[in-house]
Amino acid sequence: MTPTVETINLEIPCASDFVGVVRLAVSGIATRMNFSIEEIEDIKIAVSEACTNSVQYAYEDKSQGRVYITCNLYKEKLEIIVEDHGKGFDMSEVEAIKANKEGEPMGDERSSLGLGMTFIKSLMDVADFNSTKGKGTSVRMAKHI
Amino acid sequence: MTPTVETINLEIPCASDFVGVVRLAVSGIATRMNFSIEEIEDIKIAVSEACTNSVQYAYEDKSQGRVYITCNLYKEKLEIIVEDHGKGFDMSEVEAIKANKEGEPMGDERSSLGLGMTFIKSLMDVADFNSTKGKGTSVRMAKHI
Amino acid sequence: MPLDFKITTSETNSVPVISVDGEIDIYTSPRLTESIGSAMANHPKAVVLNLENVHYIDSTGLGAIALSAENLSTQGGRLNVVCTKPQLVKIFEVSGLNQKNVNIYDIEAEAVKNT
Amino acid sequence: MPLDFKITTSETNSVPVISVDGEIDIYTSPRLTESIGSAMANHPKAVVLNLENVHYIDSTGLGAIALSAENLSTQGGRLNVVCTKPQLVKIFEVSGLNQKNVNIYDIEAEAVKNT
Ligand SMILES: Nc1ncnc2c1ncn2[C@@H]1O[C@H](COP(=O)(O)OP(=O)(O)O)[C@@H](O)[C@H]1O
Ligand SMILES: Nc1ncnc2c1ncn2[C@@H]1O[C@H](COP(=O)(O)OP(=O)(O)O)[C@@H](O)[C@H]1O
């Protein structure tokens, strides 16, 4: 009985240093799965955006926070889930703010453009966002080979 | 309270495809810690040897096996622990076999030179091997910055 | 090594040229912001940012560039970005930054000339 | 991309030259063994293995090379390896392979000549 899916788990501290490490690991996985160079670049950006959001927004006390990355390798697709157990957010609230200030800097971070989730959606074939205030956020994304 | 150690966890299936992914992730971590290029190469080989052994020898049923990699980042060193929950081995037995057939191919794998553990010991500052028959193997290694 | 990152600042015809080597993400973008900030200290008309050796940028990097461009334009200057990699150009397009105060060029000399 | 791997086989003065690009480890070494095996099918006096573009090798890769060298010497041939990267040369030395039936050269032409 060979499994139809192979799983790789990665868990990093809530620190900007390690987003690049996730990117490296994921690009290695995508290379092994024979994605094209362009697709690999797309996947790298998408997974980075999700990790960056968890690192930036999820935890009040970053020193205790962890970010969990799960890569599920199917025959025909790569699925990546990025999760945190942070403060979560109200998706409809964020959408409303974005609609109001299109292209304007938003949020606490002055240099943030509100592009993170947009990139994930536009670069991947599947992008599901799940966030519960007080519980955390989970982003499930997938790209077909 | 900032932690004195940051931990990154990685978990791969027991398959040769993913040893390179571990190597990539670890080389990223070592780069972030400002190890020299030479030291990074040493660390990559050492961690690969440990993962390769777990992939090659630990599990009768590879499809169910997992290999666990823990990277502990200290101010002055990088510690890496590679573990499997496989069949384990008797270290003294292996040493005895090696002493007898120095430089000769050993074990089931005809192309194996018995160099894996030697490399880990010679390339890292710390190398602890722990194996219990029927329980699994754990290799703890460290390199000082 | 994959995660190496380097910024070098030089000057061509009195225009500060900032060249980046590596990946621009949440970890490295503060250093980029800082370098552009230092270049702006002498109130130049423009800063040229050469991304020819950048093989990765994401929304954090774009955010840093957008903020720097805004600061520059506030003091009457402009940010000319040299960028040839299709993947990067694509990201600039998706972000819409190239339609605001960031100008994209293929060749550094052109970016310097148009300041 | 970091984990890309490629083997190309050519011939110089009737000597098969196998050039490897990428990392030789537990995943890729079977392909190397296979390529050397195919090159040996015509019973050449020697096979040249060019590792100039190999930036990583570990005990698995060395094992594959040692086994191939043994097979070659059994049929009266030899394995000449082109290897310049200090890190790789160091690994060959630690393994002791260069003192057995694997000959290390700096330059491909030399490795081909000495067959
Ligand atoms: N993991 C998360 N935890 C908490 N809040 C989040 C998380 N991800 C996104 N958010 C919220 O959603 C907003 C929009 O995110 P995003 O579209 O990625 O834009 P940006 O690029 O500005 O981060 C953020 O400003 C933040 O308030
Ligand atoms: N994780 C492990 N699980 C079970 N057996 C192992 C493990 N690691 C090493 N061994 C045993 O130790 C022997 C020597 O290992 P090593 O020194 O790495 O040589 P080699 O390079 O031939 O693998 C192997 O042949 C195997 O029998």
Side-chain angles (χ1 to χ4, degrees), chain D residues 10-19 46-52 78 80-84 103-115:
Chain D
S10 60
E11 226 179 87
T12 310
N13 299 338
S14 311
V15 178
V17 177
I18 296 169
S19 302
V47 171
V48 169
L49 178 62
N50 190 328
L51 302 182
E52 282 175 297
R78 55 189 269 152
N80 289 357
V81 174
V82 186
C83 174
T84 46
N103 315 285
I104 313 273
Y105 295 87
D106 287 349
I107 299 163
E108 187 181 293
E110 288 296 312
V112 171
K113 217 174 80 188
N114 286 294
T115 52

Side-chain angles (χ1 to χ4, degrees), chain B residues 12 14 18-19 21 24 28 38 79 119:
Chain B
I12 61 166
C14 176
F18 304 116
V19 175
V21 172
L24 268 179
E38 240 196 35
E79 179 186 69
F119 275 4

Side-chain angles (χ1 to χ4, degrees), chain B residues 53-54 57-58 84 89 94 98 106 112-117 137, chain D residues 59:
Chain B
N53 278 352
S54 291
Y57 305 119
D84 62 61
F89 67 105
V94 167
K98 281 196 190 186
M106 61 170 291
S112 155
L113 298 167
L115 284 173
M117 296 200 286
T137 304
Chain D
S59 73

Side-chain angles (χ1 to χ4, degrees), chain C residues 1 25 27 35 43 46 62-64 67 69 79 89 97 105-106 115:
Chain C
M1 281 298 121
D25 73 350
Y27 182 66
S35 297
H43 296 275
L62 293 175
L67 183 65
L79 184 66
V89 173
L97 270 192
Y105 294 88
D106 287 349
T115 52

Side-chain angles (χ1 to χ4, degrees), chain B residues 1 5 7 12 33 39 55 58-59 64-66 68-69 76 87 101-102 130-131 134 140-141:
Chain B
M1 226 183 57
V5 51
T7 299
I12 61 166
M33 293 178 78
E39 290 167 329
V55 166
Y59 297 101
Q64 299 303 314
R66 307 280 292 165
Y68 307 85
I69 300 97
E76 76 296 348
K87 62 169 182 253
K101 335 185 165 192
E102 184 147 314
N130 239 301
S131 195
R140 191 176 68 85
M141 50 188 123

